[in-house]
Amino acid sequence: MQKLLALVSVALLFQQSAFAAPAATAATGLLNSGFTSKGKKFWASAADPGTINISQNVALLKSDFGGVTPENSMKWDATEPSQNQFNFGNSDTLVNWATSNGKLIRGHTLVWHSQLPSWVASITDSATLTSVIQNHISNVAGRYSGKLYAWDVVNECLNEDGTLRSSVFFNVLGENFITIAFTAARAADATAKLYINDYNLDSNNAKVQGMVSLVGRINASGKHIDGIGTQMHLSAGGAGGAQAALTALAATGLDVAITELDIAGAAASDYTAVVNACLAVSQCVSITSWGVSDANSWRASSTPLLFDTNYQPKAAYTAVTQLLA
Ligand code: G3I
């Protein structure tokens, strides 16, 4: 009898392993395709050589994202760590990957007070700083001319009250550093859309108003700036002002893009609020997530992205892709 029971249980085990359905894996491949089906240009992700080396990450970049932004490899400290000595190893790797996989590229970033080598930060002479900016942009944007969809030319130049932030660029050149940078970027790459990009543009606040006035002043002498990027590193529950912010930025007549989206806790309701806001504003051309999975997020402890640390889609992914279906 015992033998018979043992035989039956072995047979059952065999049956289970031979015929059991594979563990359910949630459907992916719906994000960029859904977003573009609504008339938007792309849903991208931050990436770099470190994350295009991870097979699960690459699979999702291929299936769900229409573009990439280099998370660090095109910043000044990476590309020109010493004066006039350029290093394009990591940025070339990313651009080549994106080009061969049919992904659009948002370049990030040419002029930023952070991740800036000390040899630039210590310049005090306006003629020197002007030519240093022009040389940097001509080399970096020039190298990828014709290959990028857009550039974040100037990053994070505003204070929270909408005034210009203290930085070597503003302190030495005044507001004119912005026109100098955009003019150099246009000369280096005639086809990339040129963006000004900042954070905390998440409701129609003083910083958004400051950005609207700033682009009005800069573009008074010609259309230097093509678009405004709002990074949208949001707190949980922080998406309520997104549509008002996008609407206010779009009133400039420029393109608007959500450039570094992540939301603490990644609640489905927060993600759908952001996506609905972009859908409601015709000039909102794209969304870029600041990474694919929480495994590689700069704010990993906030679990802010659409895919968890095992590269599995979260409830927010399902909600967003249902909205876009
Ligand atoms: O490359 C060095 C490496 O050589 C060194 O060994 C290691 C030791 O700490 O550091 C590495 O540099 C790190 C770099 O990321 C590359 O991994 C820096 O420490 C680290 O600070 C840096 O963080 C980046 C951060 O910008 C720097 O400001 C994040 O990855 C990146 O996600 C973040 O992105 C910014 C956007 O550019 C602008 N908006 C805000 C956003 C979040 O801070």
Side-chain angles (χ1 to χ4, degrees):
M1 185 62 177
Q2 263 182 344
K3 252 189 181 171
L4 185 65
L5 277 176
L7 270 174
V8 168
S9 51
V10 167
L12 278 174
L13 270 177
F14 173 76
Q15 207 178 8
Q16 273 176 2
S17 61
F19 301 109
T25 45
T28 54
L30 307 169
L31 187 64
N32 183 61
S33 56
F35 197 48
T36 55
S37 78
K38 300 289 183 193
K40 300 302 180 183
K41 190 120 188 117
F42 57 88
W43 191 313
S45 171
D48 248 339
T51 45
I52 59 172
N53 268 339
I54 302 166
S55 61
Q56 294 138 300
N57 196 71
V58 174
L60 290 170
L61 282 173
K62 288 182 179 173
S63 63
D64 277 86
F65 296 91
V68 290
T69 296
E71 186 168 0
N72 288 296
S73 66
M74 286 189 190
K75 293 171 180 175
W76 201 313
D77 64 351
T79 53
E80 194 187 5
S82 306
Q83 185 162 12
N84 214 27
Q85 288 179 10
F86 290 90
N87 171 11
F88 294 115
N90 285 338
S91 50
D92 280 359
T93 299
L94 186 71
V95 168
N96 291 339
W97 182 87
T99 306
S100 55
N101 286 283
K103 305 300 178 190
L104 294 166
I105 305 165
R106 294 192 85 264
H108 174 84
T109 176
L110 295 168
V111 173
W112 186 24
H113 65 274
S114 185
Q115 289 181 275
L116 184 68
S118 54
W119 71 265
V120 184
S122 60
I123 294 171
T124 54
D125 170 70
S126 61
T128 305
L129 186 57
T130 301
S131 71
V132 160
I133 292 170
Q134 290 169 334
N135 186 56
H136 180 74
I137 292 178
S138 122
N139 277 279
V140 179
R143 183 171 186 86
Y144 302 114
S145 180
K147 294 187 172 176
L148 270 54
Y149 168 74
W151 262 112
D152 289 332
V153 177
V154 170
N155 194 40
E156 300 178 5
C157 70
L158 290 174
N159 293 313
E160 297 307 294
D161 67 359
T163 58
L164 271 286
R165 171 199 290 275
S166 171
S167 70
V168 65
F169 303 112
F170 181 64
N171 298 346
V172 174
L173 296 168
E175 190 169 293
N176 195 37
F177 86 84
I178 299 173
T179 308
I180 292 168
F182 276 87
T183 304
R186 189 77 77 203
D189 185 341
T191 55
K193 301 261 188 196
L194 304 183
Y195 276 71
I196 189 165
N197 191 50
D198 218 319
Y199 62 89
N200 286 352
L201 306 174
D202 305 328
S203 62
N204 190 0
N205 56 20
K207 199 168 186 179
V208 163
Q209 291 306 311
M211 178 63 90
V212 169
S213 334
L214 176 64
V215 300
R217 295 195 301 276
I218 300 295
N219 278 1
S221 63
K223 197 182 181 199
H224 304 291
I225 303 174
D226 299 315
I228 304 172
T230 164
Q231 297 181 4
M232 289 212 185
H233 296 293
L234 298 178
S235 324
Q243 189 169 326
L246 294 174
T247 303
L249 296 171
T252 56
L254 302 184
D255 285 352
V256 174
I258 296 169
T259 52
E260 303 182 14
L261 181 63
D262 51 20
I263 311 178
S269 55
D270 287 339
Y271 265 97
T272 54
V274 170
V275 174
N276 276 321
C278 184
L279 294 178
V281 175
S282 61
Q283 284 149 265
C284 180
V285 299
S286 64
I287 295 178
T288 299
S289 292
W290 207 237
V292 173
S293 137
D294 292 340
N296 311 112
S297 167
W298 72 295
R299 54 192 299 220
S301 62
S302 302
T303 61
L305 294 172
L306 289 170
F307 296 88
D308 67 20
T309 51
N310 294 315
Y311 299 89
Q312 295 304 307
K314 299 184 187 175
Y317 175 91
T318 308
V320 164
T321 53
Q322 279 173 357
L323 172 67
L324 297 173

